Amino acid sequence: MQTVRPLERHRVRMRLLDAVDEERRDVEVLLTALQQAVAEVHGLGGMVHLPGGGMSGVLYLVADSGLPESMTRPWLIIPVRGAAPPSRAALDNTVTWQRDLAPPDPVPGRDPAALWPSGLPAGIGHLAVPIPGRGRRRGALSVLFAPGAEPGPSERAFLNEVADWMSGRLKSSGILNPSPTLLRALESGSGTREAPPRHEEGVPSIAYTWDLRTGELTADGPVEEVLAGVDPDVMYGGIEAWAALIHPDDLPAAVAGFDTGIQLRGGFQNEYRIRRQDGTYLWIEARARTITDEEGVPVKVLGTLRDSSETHAAAESVGQALRHMSDGFVSLDTEWRIGFLNHAAERLLGSAGDVAGALLWNIPAVRAVPGLEQQCRATAATGRPAGFDIPGPDGTSWYHLRLVPVPEGLTLYITDTTERHLREAERADAERASAERAALVQRITRELAEAVTAQDVMAAVADGVMTPLGATGLVMLGTVGDRLTVVGSRGYTERFTRLLDGRWSVRDTMNPVGDALRTRTPLCISSPEEFLKSYPGTETLVREGAKQAWAFLPLAVSGREIGAAVISFGRPRVLDDDERTLLTALSGLIAQALERAGLYDEATTRARTLQRSLLPQALPKLPELTTAARYQPAKQGADVGGDWYDVIPLSAARVALVIGDVMGHGMAEAATMGGLRTAVRTLSELELPPDEILGHLNDIVGDLGNDAFATCLYGIYDPVSRRLSYASAGQPPPAVAHPDGTVTFLPMTPDPPLGVAAPPFETHETVLPADSLLALYSDGLVESKERDVTTGMSHLAELLSRSVRAMPTSPADASDLDALCADLTSALLPAHGALSDDAALLLARAHPLNAENVAEWPLPEDPVAAGQARDLVRAQLSDWDLSDEDLVMTTELLVSELVGNVVRHACGPIRLRMLRSRALICEVSDASLTTPHIRHTSATDEGGRGLQLISALCERWGTRHTRTGKAIWTEQPLPEPGR
């Protein structure tokens, strides 16, 4: 990027200035040129001063850039004959440099040093160059530089060039050198007209002439006749003597008024105070007109003077009234600048000396109110008086602002409405508190109506009452006989509740609860001292409870005491009448809810007892399967659910696993569940396959009516083949956790629930790996309002996988599975057991029957088969170390009888199988479907006693149909180890 040299940059900026529109106002022209000058020489800021009309030889600040108001205020009016750089540049027509910025010289009535801002850094440089005019009338362009920076020749030359450009534009506009044509166009008319301006008819006045060339003053009569008490010789002293009489506070404005009128070659008017000979002041109104020669140069001023003290006194009286009125009053011009404000407004906005002339929006107190400017401007834009309320800057007070348009701007009335707002706030608070109490009663009424248990009532009162009242403790007491026992507590230690439990009796008036129950009104105790004074001997309770105030609410229904609610506070407190009324209303609501909860708890206890009695009291301990189960009832009221599970030992060491769910809740559903469970066990005794079991259950449920439905999964595990055969009616698929932690869900055909299904049901088979874990569950375990079935099954799989990896491969008992059941239900079910449906879980770890515990042989279809069978049995029992002779002989007799019956009544092929499992099992199978039955025989019958003999010799026996025929089996108990 190419660097632009300073000289070229100067030329560019001057070309930019030459492009400034000729129609731009003079102030805009000066400000544009000043900004270019400051930017080019890298100054801190700049000012432009122009000369006045000649009254006292002053320079006026007409433009500034980059400087705060606190720095420009001392430079508003400065003398031409002064030591400041702008004064010296204008007077001597030379560039002036000052290394350390200092205040300018004072003018009458104005001391710049008193206005000088504090905290300015030392060493700020001040450079001023003259702005040429006609003759000796010159202005000045000045720039401030940072400490240590001094402009070089090129910067000084550039500033001179800018000053010349300013002079040219100002000459063309007539500000420095007004033309005769401009003078004739002024409002005052021709500059040669010498008639002095007149006051109203009948008002005493004196005419004067001020020669601008000599400073001489002449009047058309004695000045003391019009301006009583003024030095009669003041006119002989010239303009300087007259200026010495002007009040110091009014001198700057008077000088500015004269200079502006002279500069513009027109008429002007001013009002100020002059000093009498006795030192007092009177107000005068001065009107004047500038007279020029043929070349347009001002030569004299013609004017009139009159005493305006009476008019000003009337205005001052109004001003005093405004100044001391209780409401704030602010007068604003059309640009929202402050012209006047009274004492009340000063307390809000600042002293008049600090804010007069300032823009309203720059006042800190106004800026502190968000959106006030926009609101005021929008109101003023309507052109009609309007008002609105605003918060005070302190955040606690309120004010009403009323804006009234007037011809020259706006008047602003500020009324303190804090008291009114406080009263309205108090009334609103009272109404809100009343509404909140009503809403609190409604909310608690609704929650208590929904509460079904005593703990629900306790939670509803704790959640609904403690926070609104600011309570820190709650104890609910119920009556058991004549004693008061703790139903529940919040905010107390267990040690305290044990101490309180059963300590007080209902009829004992030496305790606060007994007193409250006797009077049937809430009893309020405001401090521990009051508690101990009213009820001596309660020091331990007060100390252990660690509370400071109490409200004892009696709970009674139909004249019968059922308990009390004790609300406590962590600090001493006196409850007001509204709070006592609220507690009285709550006392009745809580009593009714607690009575209902007691009836519900009794009904629930009976229902749960019934439901538990319908489920297995204990699962059988089987070597083929290690099992554990969990059942969690729903928390929807006294109604019980219909989930159930079962583990049923079958023949040949097989085990049936069942899980089901009767849809709905209630005693009828529980009875249906009990009936179905009984039916399943009965059908299992018939050795039916899973699909036929479900077919019979479907008929049973269908007979119960159109509104009865149930789901069920029935599976049979064979430890010899490790095969699981199962069928399902509406149940979710079982999960299988392999020993390595892999979890899969068994394939299922989506069959409808029992009661609406159309048999046949489909039977599935799968092989379970050794020591794998099978999980059967109802939908309540994996499905809820917040979770669908798929998500729940995924969560179950994750938990099973993580748990299986951490468990022993083959536990010796069901303790590990029982713990796993607890972990799974805790992780899958909602907190506090708040279930919308019952949930059941059945876990089973598979243990295959080893090959050495299984023996099987084919037998010939011949009477000799019985003998071969006896030999095989004896030899196998010897191999298994089962050499008890009674067991051997009994087993030989059983097998011989079974084989003989097959040879005699059935057809082959014939097979003999022996299993050593939970019992000694013998099976003889054939191809016949005929099922043998025990029958009664007479003394003369030659046959029919074989099955009677078998039934007498074994523990259990039965017939099981197979794919190729049937099998007749027997079970004998194994001898205890060591025998």
PDB file of all heavy atoms in Angstrom, residues 98 141 256-257 272 375 387 389 402-403 413 476 485 546 558 570 674 713 732 739 774 791 795 827 899 919 943 966 972:
ATOM      1  N   GLN A  98       1.348  27.975  22.342  1.00  0.00           N
ATOM      2  CA  GLN A  98       1.470  27.932  23.796  1.00  0.00           C
ATOM      3  C   GLN A  98       1.691  26.469  24.207  1.00  0.00           C
ATOM      4  O   GLN A  98       0.873  25.598  23.905  1.00  0.00           O
ATOM      5  CB  GLN A  98       0.195  28.481  24.464  1.00  0.00           C
ATOM      6  CG  GLN A  98       0.297  28.613  25.974  1.00  0.00           C
ATOM      7  CD  GLN A  98      -0.999  29.155  26.566  1.00  0.00           C
ATOM      8  OE1 GLN A  98      -2.073  28.672  26.264  1.00  0.00           O
ATOM      9  NE2 GLN A  98      -0.862  30.210  27.379  1.00  0.00           N
ATOM     10  N   LEU A 141      -8.472  30.451  14.465  1.00  0.00           N
ATOM     11  CA  LEU A 141      -8.637  28.997  14.419  1.00  0.00           C
ATOM     12  C   LEU A 141      -7.559  28.407  15.327  1.00  0.00           C
ATOM     13  O   LEU A 141      -6.371  28.669  15.120  1.00  0.00           O
ATOM     14  CB  LEU A 141      -8.476  28.479  12.985  1.00  0.00           C
ATOM     15  CG  LEU A 141      -8.220  26.980  12.821  1.00  0.00           C
ATOM     16  CD1 LEU A 141      -9.395  26.157  13.312  1.00  0.00           C
ATOM     17  CD2 LEU A 141      -7.905  26.644  11.369  1.00  0.00           C
ATOM     18  N   ALA A 256     -23.207  40.107  24.521  1.00  0.00           N
ATOM     19  CA  ALA A 256     -23.507  39.287  23.358  1.00  0.00           C
ATOM     20  C   ALA A 256     -24.657  39.860  22.558  1.00  0.00           C
ATOM     21  O   ALA A 256     -24.645  39.862  21.324  1.00  0.00           O
ATOM     22  CB  ALA A 256     -23.848  37.842  23.809  1.00  0.00           C
ATOM     23  N   GLY A 257     -25.685  40.408  23.245  1.00  0.00           N
ATOM     24  CA  GLY A 257     -26.817  40.990  22.530  1.00  0.00           C
ATOM     25  C   GLY A 257     -26.401  42.197  21.707  1.00  0.00           C
ATOM     26  O   GLY A 257     -26.785  42.324  20.540  1.00  0.00           O
ATOM     27  N   TYR A 272     -31.677  43.708  31.196  1.00  0.00           N
ATOM     28  CA  TYR A 272     -30.645  43.395  32.174  1.00  0.00           C
ATOM     29  C   TYR A 272     -30.765  44.375  33.326  1.00  0.00           C
ATOM     30  O   TYR A 272     -31.596  45.285  33.294  1.00  0.00           O
ATOM     31  CB  TYR A 272     -29.251  43.476  31.542  1.00  0.00           C
ATOM     32  CG  TYR A 272     -28.962  44.750  30.775  1.00  0.00           C
ATOM     33  CD1 TYR A 272     -28.444  45.871  31.433  1.00  0.00           C
ATOM     34  CD2 TYR A 272     -29.175  44.823  29.402  1.00  0.00           C
ATOM     35  CE1 TYR A 272     -28.178  47.032  30.729  1.00  0.00           C
ATOM     36  CE2 TYR A 272     -28.908  45.956  28.701  1.00  0.00           C
ATOM     37  CZ  TYR A 272     -28.411  47.085  29.360  1.00  0.00           C
ATOM     38  OH  TYR A 272     -28.149  48.233  28.662  1.00  0.00           O
ATOM     39  N   GLN A 375     -40.525   8.166  25.365  1.00  0.00           N
ATOM     40  CA  GLN A 375     -41.877   8.412  25.863  1.00  0.00           C
ATOM     41  C   GLN A 375     -42.208   9.893  25.834  1.00  0.00           C
ATOM     42  O   GLN A 375     -43.314  10.298  25.449  1.00  0.00           O
ATOM     43  CB  GLN A 375     -42.010   7.850  27.276  1.00  0.00           C
ATOM     44  CG  GLN A 375     -43.441   7.583  27.708  1.00  0.00           C
ATOM     45  CD  GLN A 375     -43.508   6.756  28.982  1.00  0.00           C
ATOM     46  OE1 GLN A 375     -42.482   6.433  29.562  1.00  0.00           O
ATOM     47  NE2 GLN A 375     -44.701   6.414  29.414  1.00  0.00           N
ATOM     48  N   GLY A 387     -49.767  13.278  30.231  1.00  0.00           N
ATOM     49  CA  GLY A 387     -48.925  12.880  31.356  1.00  0.00           C
ATOM     50  C   GLY A 387     -48.797  11.378  31.456  1.00  0.00           C
ATOM     51  O   GLY A 387     -49.579  10.619  30.871  1.00  0.00           O
ATOM     52  N   ASP A 389     -46.756   8.151  34.212  1.00  0.00           N
ATOM     53  CA  ASP A 389     -45.981   7.832  35.414  1.00  0.00           C
ATOM     54  C   ASP A 389     -44.672   7.156  35.036  1.00  0.00           C
ATOM     55  O   ASP A 389     -44.616   6.368  34.086  1.00  0.00           O
ATOM     56  CB  ASP A 389     -46.776   6.899  36.336  1.00  0.00           C
ATOM     57  CG  ASP A 389     -47.948   7.605  36.994  1.00  0.00           C
ATOM     58  OD1 ASP A 389     -47.961   8.850  36.944  1.00  0.00           O
ATOM     59  OD2 ASP A 389     -48.840   6.928  37.525  1.00  0.00           O
ATOM     60  N   ARG A 402     -46.047  15.618  33.529  1.00  0.00           N
ATOM     61  CA  ARG A 402     -47.072  16.192  32.664  1.00  0.00           C
ATOM     62  C   ARG A 402     -46.387  17.189  31.737  1.00  0.00           C
ATOM     63  O   ARG A 402     -45.759  18.157  32.193  1.00  0.00           O
ATOM     64  CB  ARG A 402     -48.165  16.883  33.481  1.00  0.00           C
ATOM     65  CG  ARG A 402     -49.244  17.515  32.615  1.00  0.00           C
ATOM     66  CD  ARG A 402     -50.456  17.950  33.417  1.00  0.00           C
ATOM     67  NE  ARG A 402     -51.442  18.623  32.589  1.00  0.00           N
ATOM     68  CZ  ARG A 402     -52.317  18.004  31.796  1.00  0.00           C
ATOM     69  NH1 ARG A 402     -52.320  16.674  31.743  1.00  0.00           N
ATOM     70  NH2 ARG A 402     -53.187  18.687  31.078  1.00  0.00           N
ATOM     71  N   LEU A 403     -46.503  16.948  30.447  1.00  0.00           N
ATOM     72  CA  LEU A 403     -45.916  17.809  29.425  1.00  0.00           C
ATOM     73  C   LEU A 403     -47.004  18.710  28.855  1.00  0.00           C
ATOM     74  O   LEU A 403     -48.052  18.223  28.405  1.00  0.00           O
ATOM     75  CB  LEU A 403     -45.303  16.963  28.301  1.00  0.00           C
ATOM     76  CG  LEU A 403     -44.038  16.178  28.661  1.00  0.00           C
ATOM     77  CD1 LEU A 403     -43.689  15.218  27.543  1.00  0.00           C
ATOM     78  CD2 LEU A 403     -42.886  17.119  28.912  1.00  0.00           C
ATOM     79  N   TYR A 413     -44.082  19.396  34.265  1.00  0.00           N
ATOM     80  CA  TYR A 413     -44.444  19.350  35.673  1.00  0.00           C
ATOM     81  C   TYR A 413     -44.114  17.948  36.207  1.00  0.00           C
ATOM     82  O   TYR A 413     -44.463  16.939  35.593  1.00  0.00           O
ATOM     83  CB  TYR A 413     -45.934  19.638  35.865  1.00  0.00           C
ATOM     84  CG  TYR A 413     -46.334  21.032  35.435  1.00  0.00           C
ATOM     85  CD1 TYR A 413     -46.700  21.293  34.117  1.00  0.00           C
ATOM     86  CD2 TYR A 413     -46.351  22.094  36.344  1.00  0.00           C
ATOM     87  CE1 TYR A 413     -47.067  22.564  33.707  1.00  0.00           C
ATOM     88  CE2 TYR A 413     -46.715  23.365  35.948  1.00  0.00           C
ATOM     89  CZ  TYR A 413     -47.073  23.603  34.626  1.00  0.00           C
ATOM     90  OH  TYR A 413     -47.428  24.865  34.238  1.00  0.00           O
ATOM     91  N   MET A 476     -47.335 -34.813  60.691  1.00  0.00           N
ATOM     92  CA  MET A 476     -48.709 -35.274  60.628  1.00  0.00           C
ATOM     93  C   MET A 476     -48.871 -36.384  61.660  1.00  0.00           C
ATOM     94  O   MET A 476     -48.132 -37.374  61.658  1.00  0.00           O
ATOM     95  CB  MET A 476     -49.030 -35.795  59.234  1.00  0.00           C
ATOM     96  CG  MET A 476     -50.513 -35.954  58.974  1.00  0.00           C
ATOM     97  SD  MET A 476     -51.294 -34.380  58.557  1.00  0.00           S
ATOM     98  CE  MET A 476     -50.589 -34.088  56.937  1.00  0.00           C
ATOM     99  N   THR A 485     -49.767 -41.017  66.957  1.00  0.00           N
ATOM    100  CA  THR A 485     -48.563 -41.563  66.333  1.00  0.00           C
ATOM    101  C   THR A 485     -48.192 -40.735  65.111  1.00  0.00           C
ATOM    102  O   THR A 485     -49.044 -40.080  64.495  1.00  0.00           O
ATOM    103  CB  THR A 485     -48.777 -43.021  65.907  1.00  0.00           C
ATOM    104  OG1 THR A 485     -49.846 -43.075  64.947  1.00  0.00           O
ATOM    105  CG2 THR A 485     -49.128 -43.892  67.108  1.00  0.00           C
ATOM    106  N   ALA A 546     -35.943 -28.130  67.473  1.00  0.00           N
ATOM    107  CA  ALA A 546     -35.158 -26.989  66.963  1.00  0.00           C
ATOM    108  C   ALA A 546     -36.016 -26.032  66.143  1.00  0.00           C
ATOM    109  O   ALA A 546     -35.564 -25.486  65.143  1.00  0.00           O
ATOM    110  CB  ALA A 546     -33.967 -27.484  66.148  1.00  0.00           C
ATOM    111  N   SER A 558     -66.638 -35.566  61.609  1.00  0.00           N
ATOM    112  CA  SER A 558     -67.908 -36.024  62.191  1.00  0.00           C
ATOM    113  C   SER A 558     -67.791 -36.170  63.704  1.00  0.00           C
ATOM    114  O   SER A 558     -68.272 -37.151  64.300  1.00  0.00           O
ATOM    115  CB  SER A 558     -68.337 -37.357  61.558  1.00  0.00           C
ATOM    116  OG  SER A 558     -68.486 -37.219  60.161  1.00  0.00           O
ATOM    117  N   GLY A 570     -38.898 -21.701  61.605  1.00  0.00           N
ATOM    118  CA  GLY A 570     -37.525 -21.638  62.082  1.00  0.00           C
ATOM    119  C   GLY A 570     -37.187 -20.388  62.854  1.00  0.00           C
ATOM    120  O   GLY A 570     -36.045 -20.231  63.306  1.00  0.00           O
ATOM    121  N   GLY A 674     -55.602 -65.120  39.531  1.00  0.00           N
ATOM    122  CA  GLY A 674     -55.482 -66.321  40.331  1.00  0.00           C
ATOM    123  C   GLY A 674     -56.048 -67.539  39.616  1.00  0.00           C
ATOM    124  O   GLY A 674     -55.463 -68.635  39.675  1.00  0.00           O
ATOM    125  N   LEU A 713     -46.967 -65.657  28.430  1.00  0.00           N
ATOM    126  CA  LEU A 713     -45.887 -66.367  27.751  1.00  0.00           C
ATOM    127  C   LEU A 713     -45.616 -67.637  28.549  1.00  0.00           C
ATOM    128  O   LEU A 713     -45.421 -67.586  29.767  1.00  0.00           O
ATOM    129  CB  LEU A 713     -44.632 -65.505  27.652  1.00  0.00           C
ATOM    130  CG  LEU A 713     -43.492 -66.121  26.837  1.00  0.00           C
ATOM    131  CD1 LEU A 713     -42.779 -65.046  26.025  1.00  0.00           C
ATOM    132  CD2 LEU A 713     -42.481 -66.853  27.731  1.00  0.00           C
ATOM    133  N   PRO A 732     -44.231 -59.224  25.648  1.00  0.00           N
ATOM    134  CA  PRO A 732     -42.977 -58.816  24.995  1.00  0.00           C
ATOM    135  C   PRO A 732     -42.002 -59.982  24.951  1.00  0.00           C
ATOM    136  O   PRO A 732     -42.069 -60.892  25.781  1.00  0.00           O
ATOM    137  CB  PRO A 732     -42.472 -57.672  25.877  1.00  0.00           C
ATOM    138  CG  PRO A 732     -43.126 -57.882  27.195  1.00  0.00           C
ATOM    139  CD  PRO A 732     -44.452 -58.505  26.914  1.00  0.00           C
ATOM    140  N   PRO A 739     -23.324 -65.743  28.472  1.00  0.00           N
ATOM    141  CA  PRO A 739     -22.262 -65.573  29.481  1.00  0.00           C
ATOM    142  C   PRO A 739     -21.266 -64.479  29.156  1.00  0.00           C
ATOM    143  O   PRO A 739     -20.658 -63.901  30.059  1.00  0.00           O
ATOM    144  CB  PRO A 739     -21.604 -66.960  29.519  1.00  0.00           C
ATOM    145  CG  PRO A 739     -22.682 -67.901  29.083  1.00  0.00           C
ATOM    146  CD  PRO A 739     -23.485 -67.154  28.064  1.00  0.00           C
ATOM    147  N   LEU A 774     -32.047 -66.034  31.261  1.00  0.00           N
ATOM    148  CA  LEU A 774     -33.304 -65.770  30.564  1.00  0.00           C
ATOM    149  C   LEU A 774     -34.127 -64.799  31.400  1.00  0.00           C
ATOM    150  O   LEU A 774     -34.290 -64.990  32.615  1.00  0.00           O
ATOM    151  CB  LEU A 774     -34.068 -67.082  30.351  1.00  0.00           C
ATOM    152  CG  LEU A 774     -35.417 -66.986  29.617  1.00  0.00           C
ATOM    153  CD1 LEU A 774     -35.201 -66.597  28.162  1.00  0.00           C
ATOM    154  CD2 LEU A 774     -36.157 -68.328  29.707  1.00  0.00           C
ATOM    155  N   THR A 791     -37.688 -48.418  23.623  1.00  0.00           N
ATOM    156  CA  THR A 791     -36.655 -47.769  24.448  1.00  0.00           C
ATOM    157  C   THR A 791     -36.448 -48.529  25.746  1.00  0.00           C
ATOM    158  O   THR A 791     -35.310 -48.727  26.201  1.00  0.00           O
ATOM    159  CB  THR A 791     -37.062 -46.321  24.741  1.00  0.00           C
ATOM    160  OG1 THR A 791     -37.275 -45.634  23.499  1.00  0.00           O
ATOM    161  CG2 THR A 791     -35.990 -45.612  25.539  1.00  0.00           C
ATOM    162  N   HIS A 795     -33.027 -50.377  27.146  1.00  0.00           N
ATOM    163  CA  HIS A 795     -32.455 -50.102  28.470  1.00  0.00           C
ATOM    164  C   HIS A 795     -32.285 -51.394  29.260  1.00  0.00           C
ATOM    165  O   HIS A 795     -31.263 -51.594  29.937  1.00  0.00           O
ATOM    166  CB  HIS A 795     -33.375 -49.136  29.218  1.00  0.00           C
ATOM    167  CG  HIS A 795     -32.741 -48.548  30.436  1.00  0.00           C
ATOM    168  ND1 HIS A 795     -33.448 -47.832  31.374  1.00  0.00           N
ATOM    169  CD2 HIS A 795     -31.457 -48.577  30.887  1.00  0.00           C
ATOM    170  CE1 HIS A 795     -32.638 -47.455  32.345  1.00  0.00           C
ATOM    171  NE2 HIS A 795     -31.423 -47.883  32.069  1.00  0.00           N
ATOM    172  N   ALA A 827     -33.712 -49.725  38.506  1.00  0.00           N
ATOM    173  CA  ALA A 827     -33.230 -48.893  37.396  1.00  0.00           C
ATOM    174  C   ALA A 827     -34.316 -48.624  36.359  1.00  0.00           C
ATOM    175  O   ALA A 827     -34.316 -47.563  35.719  1.00  0.00           O
ATOM    176  CB  ALA A 827     -32.032 -49.567  36.729  1.00  0.00           C
ATOM    177  N   VAL A 899     -41.778-101.600  31.201  1.00  0.00           N
ATOM    178  CA  VAL A 899     -41.443-102.258  29.930  1.00  0.00           C
ATOM    179  C   VAL A 899     -42.442-103.366  29.645  1.00  0.00           C
ATOM    180  O   VAL A 899     -42.907-103.572  28.509  1.00  0.00           O
ATOM    181  CB  VAL A 899     -40.006-102.792  29.980  1.00  0.00           C
ATOM    182  CG1 VAL A 899     -39.702-103.618  28.734  1.00  0.00           C
ATOM    183  CG2 VAL A 899     -39.027-101.628  30.088  1.00  0.00           C
ATOM    184  N   ALA A 919     -34.165 -85.678  40.910  1.00  0.00           N
ATOM    185  CA  ALA A 919     -34.636 -86.996  41.353  1.00  0.00           C
ATOM    186  C   ALA A 919     -34.092 -88.031  40.370  1.00  0.00           C
ATOM    187  O   ALA A 919     -33.505 -87.696  39.329  1.00  0.00           O
ATOM    188  CB  ALA A 919     -36.163 -87.017  41.403  1.00  0.00           C
ATOM    189  N   GLY A 943     -55.220-108.898  35.888  1.00  0.00           N
ATOM    190  CA  GLY A 943     -54.384-107.754  35.527  1.00  0.00           C
ATOM    191  C   GLY A 943     -54.930-106.463  36.106  1.00  0.00           C
ATOM    192  O   GLY A 943     -55.897-106.446  36.879  1.00  0.00           O
ATOM    193  N   LYS A 966     -45.630 -91.713  23.053  1.00  0.00           N
ATOM    194  CA  LYS A 966     -45.759 -91.263  24.430  1.00  0.00           C
ATOM    195  C   LYS A 966     -44.582 -91.786  25.234  1.00  0.00           C
ATOM    196  O   LYS A 966     -43.836 -92.674  24.793  1.00  0.00           O
ATOM    197  CB  LYS A 966     -47.064 -91.769  25.036  1.00  0.00           C
ATOM    198  CG  LYS A 966     -47.124 -93.257  25.283  1.00  0.00           C
ATOM    199  CD  LYS A 966     -48.370 -93.662  25.998  1.00  0.00           C
ATOM    200  CE  LYS A 966     -48.407 -95.158  26.304  1.00  0.00           C
ATOM    201  NZ  LYS A 966     -48.301 -96.012  25.141  1.00  0.00           N
ATOM    202  N   GLN A 972     -38.104 -90.905  41.521  1.00  0.00           N
ATOM    203  CA  GLN A 972     -37.780 -91.408  42.850  1.00  0.00           C
ATOM    204  C   GLN A 972     -36.794 -90.443  43.519  1.00  0.00           C
ATOM    205  O   GLN A 972     -35.894 -89.916  42.853  1.00  0.00           O
ATOM    206  CB  GLN A 972     -37.135 -92.800  42.761  1.00  0.00           C
ATOM    207  CG  GLN A 972     -38.009 -93.860  42.127  1.00  0.00           C
ATOM    208  CD  GLN A 972     -37.196 -95.097  41.842  1.00  0.00           C
ATOM    209  OE1 GLN A 972     -36.801 -95.334  40.702  1.00  0.00           O
ATOM    210  NE2 GLN A 972     -36.942 -95.908  42.860  1.00  0.00           N
TER     211      GLN A 972
END
